[in-house]
Amino acid sequence: MEANKRQLEVKLDHECIYVFERKEEMAPSKFRRKVWQILPSICATLMCLPFGIMLGWPSPTYPTLIQPGAPVWISMDQSAMIAGFLMIGNTVSTPFSSIQRIGAKYGIIIGASLITIGWIVMWQARDVFWLLGSRFLIGAGNGFGTGQVKLYINEICQDSLAQTMAKQINLYVFLGVFLAFSYGPFVDFRNFSIITSIISVLVLFLAIFLPSTPRELVKSGKMTEARKLIAFLSPDLSVSEEIVKIKERINAPDNSISFCDLVKKESLRKNFAIFACLVFFQQFSGAPATVVYSQMIFEKAHCPRPEMCALVYSLMFLIANFYGIFCVPSHNKKYVLLFSSIGVSVLLVLNIIVLVEEANVHFWQFTSLVILLLYILVHVVGLGTVPFLLIPELFPKEVNKIMVQFLIMSNSMFALIITKIFQVLLTNFGLVTPLCLFLTVSTFSIIFVIIFVPSKSNNKSNNT
């Protein structure tokens, strides 16, 4: 009897040791778990980089393409149409960006593939129609792929980390703009396309080898891999319960409110009108046009080395967006909008005076550069950033998806329109006239913000 009892105790001791060792093996460090979430998210978000390069492509490229003997000659009138096709592609594909049937990873691959094909088409371009097709494909790839990137981040990252990583998506777009301004003026048309095609292929390669998310593994029936991944990413949670939650989310109906339902509700309709007007003021106060035509603007303003001025302008654009994304959310949105609208108006007045008095010629060559740097800084941190941040404050959670899609689509269409208007005014009347248009819009935005934009969130009233 004592012998049996001793054997049992040894067995129990052995089992206790075994279980303890097993737990140590299944509890990865917090650093490893963070890396496993952050690296795939970064690789997925890199899909936006070649789109950003195409967004900045016109500024260093148009001055050469409008010259006789260019590899692909274009007229000044065609330049705005070419710029707009990127936004048309972005708009057309955005409504499909929330599709989850194919899986977020494969959605990213589709988006990256379209962008890569678009850059190869640009490399082989023979006439203006190739340029239009290239920009449409790249816009469509980004519009669809960006939504899939957000889904992938939400599925692979834990909640707090997912929010941080999702905020960085636009920064990769603006980093791409800066890269376009960095090497665009120093290479010819074909080499520009070849360099970016190589970047696009590398991004596509990374997308192909992205790890699957727990949702994708559960949906494809790979339960063993799904359990291992969940246990690795969330060792404190019950794997079985997480599997059940994922299955419920997969089978759950979409509770998002449609656009028609939104306009039927009076409180939401009022907030929608406020939001739509802010998006209009954001785009028609001039930032998109000044980015697309920045090198030409500095040439018209008689600034020396306009390509280097444009590079500095794009760097300020990137820095301002970084500040706007990570720092502005902690401030009162109405006050930031008011500061931005007033600042933009004042700086546009100063720039108009500088151009009329030819201060760049008679006083200091970089006067317009300094004023425009302050202009893009003040514009981005307020008018450029706040409308997006107001979505969760003006609308309940079930409206967020449709409002984000509306923001992307309206931004794209307004950018297309104002870019064409800017080109026509610049070509026929000079640089002062479009700046006067921007000034008029920014002045109206001051009045609008004071009267209509709420000081605090009224989201609770929307939910009741």
Side-chain angles (χ1 to χ4, degrees):
M1 191 73 176
E2 290 181 359
N4 290 337
K5 185 177 180 181
R6 195 161 56 190
Q7 288 179 359
L8 180 61
E9 289 175 351
V10 172
K11 185 177 181 181
L12 288 174
D13 289 342
H14 176 71
E15 286 180 352
C16 288
I17 294 171
Y18 174 77
V19 172
F20 176 78
E21 290 177 348
R22 187 65 176 172
K23 283 185 178 180
E24 287 295 322
E25 181 183 347
M26 294 299 295
S29 67
K30 186 177 180 180
F31 175 78
R32 286 181 59 198
R33 285 186 280 118
K34 281 283 184 73
V35 169
W36 186 258
Q37 297 172 70
I38 292 173
L39 281 182
S41 298
I42 291 175
C43 292
T45 312
L46 282 173
M47 189 212 70
C48 301
L49 190 65
F51 169 77
I53 296 175
M54 180 55 85
L55 191 63
W57 172 86
S59 178
T61 307
Y62 282 172
T64 59
L65 294 187
I66 62 175
Q67 300 297 327
V72 181
W73 182 83
I74 63 172
S75 66
M76 192 63 178
D77 287 336
Q78 290 173 332
S79 67
M81 177 178 64
I82 295 168
F85 259 67
L86 183 70
M87 297 306 173
I88 292 175
N90 200 47
T91 303
V92 169
S93 62
T94 294
F96 305 99
S97 62
S98 58
I99 293 175
Q100 294 182 287
R101 293 182 180 179
I102 57 177
K105 173 184 173 178
Y106 296 103
I108 294 170
I109 292 173
I110 291 173
S113 298
L114 289 173
I115 292 174
T116 302
I117 293 170
W119 272 110
I120 293 174
V121 171
M122 180 66 74
W123 170 29
Q124 297 296 321
R126 296 293 178 266
D127 54 39
V128 67
F129 297 105
W130 289 66
L131 303 183
L132 296 177
S134 168
R135 287 180 65 83
F136 180 86
L137 285 172
I138 294 172
N142 179 78
F144 179 78
T146 300
Q148 299 297 310
V149 170
K150 293 177 182 177
L151 292 174
Y152 184 85
I153 290 173
N154 288 330
E155 292 174 11
I156 200 71
C157 294
Q158 295 175 338
D159 292 340
S160 58
L161 183 59
Q163 294 176 5
T164 302
M165 298 306 299
K167 285 182 178 179
Q168 300 179 31
I169 291 176
N170 284 339
L171 290 180
Y172 286 82
V173 176
F174 303 134
L175 177 60
V177 174
F178 176 72
L179 289 177
F181 283 62
S182 298
Y183 64 81
F186 310 107
V187 296
D188 60 25
F189 173 78
R190 302 295 176 192
N191 287 333
F192 190 117
S193 302
I194 291 172
I195 292 170
T196 317
S197 296
I198 294 172
I199 295 174
S200 301
V201 170
L202 293 175
V203 170
L204 176 59
F205 181 81
L206 290 175
I208 292 172
F209 289 97
L210 286 174
S212 297
T213 66
R215 178 192 175 96
E216 291 171 335
L217 293 172
V218 171
K219 192 172 182 179
S220 60
K222 299 177 180 179
M223 303 305 296
T224 303
E225 291 87 341
R227 289 179 177 276
K228 290 180 179 180
L229 183 56
I230 294 171
F232 176 79
L233 296 176
S234 306
D236 298 330
L237 300 178
S238 170
V239 175
S240 299
E241 290 180 3
E242 287 300 305
I243 293 288
V244 171
K245 290 179 182 178
I246 291 173
K247 288 182 178 179
E248 289 176 351
R249 287 195 292 266
I250 292 173
N251 298 321
D254 188 0
N255 295 323
S256 299
I257 293 178
S258 67
F259 186 78
C260 294
D261 294 330
L262 185 149
V263 297
K264 289 179 183 177
K265 295 186 177 183
E266 184 178 354
S267 61
L268 295 183
R269 187 165 60 243
K270 178 183 176 181
N271 287 347
F272 174 76
I274 293 173
F275 182 77
C277 289
L278 288 176
V279 176
F280 171 83
F281 291 133
Q282 178 194 73
Q283 297 298 306
F284 275 71
S285 51
T290 59
V291 171
V292 170
Y293 288 99
S294 58
Q295 188 167 325
M296 288 186 180
I297 289 173
F298 289 115
E299 287 178 1
K300 296 283 185 180
H302 305 291
C303 292
R305 298 296 301 273
E307 69 281 358
M308 298 306 297
C309 292
L311 175 60
V312 176
Y313 191 72
S314 68
L315 179 60
M316 179 61 77
F317 183 59
L318 175 62
I319 294 171
N321 274 283
F322 182 87
Y323 180 85
I325 290 171
F326 290 101
C327 300
V328 170
S330 61
H331 302 304
N332 184 291
K333 310 299 186 301
K334 179 170 183 173
Y335 295 156
V336 174
L337 275 175
L338 192 58
F339 163 78
S340 179
S341 299
I342 295 173
V344 165
S345 299
V346 171
L347 290 165
L348 285 170
V349 169
L350 290 176
N351 204 28
I352 291 170
I353 294 173
V354 167
L355 292 173
V356 171
E357 298 297 329
E358 297 184 344
N360 294 309
V361 177
H362 303 298
F363 175 61
W364 187 43
Q365 294 176 316
F366 296 103
T367 307
S368 285
L369 172 62
V370 172
I371 294 175
L372 283 172
L373 288 176
L374 293 173
Y375 158 82
I376 199 65
L377 172 63
V378 173
H379 186 285
V380 168
V381 298
L383 289 168
T385 303
V386 171
F388 175 76
L389 299 176
L390 281 176
I391 291 177
E393 296 191 8
L394 294 176
F395 304 98
K397 185 177 180 180
E398 56 268 23
V399 186
N400 282 3
K401 184 176 78 172
I402 189 68
M403 290 312 303
V404 170
Q405 291 182 349
F406 172 81
L407 175 64
I408 296 171
M409 296 169 69
S410 57
N411 268 348
S412 299
M413 289 296 97
F414 285 151
L416 185 157
I417 295 169
I418 191 58
T419 301
K420 178 59 180 176
I421 293 174
F422 177 85
Q423 175 267 310
V424 172
L425 294 177
L426 177 67
T427 304
N428 294 283
F429 302 103
L431 183 55
V432 172
T433 303
L435 293 183
C436 290
L437 171 62
F438 300 157
L439 174 60
T440 303
V441 174
S442 64
T443 303
F444 275 109
S445 71
I446 298 172
I447 303 170
F448 182 86
V449 170
I450 293 173
I451 298 175
F452 295 105
V453 175
S455 297
K456 296 182 180 180
S457 169
N458 57 358
N459 197 6
K460 292 181 180 179
S461 62
N462 292 338
N463 284 319
T464 56

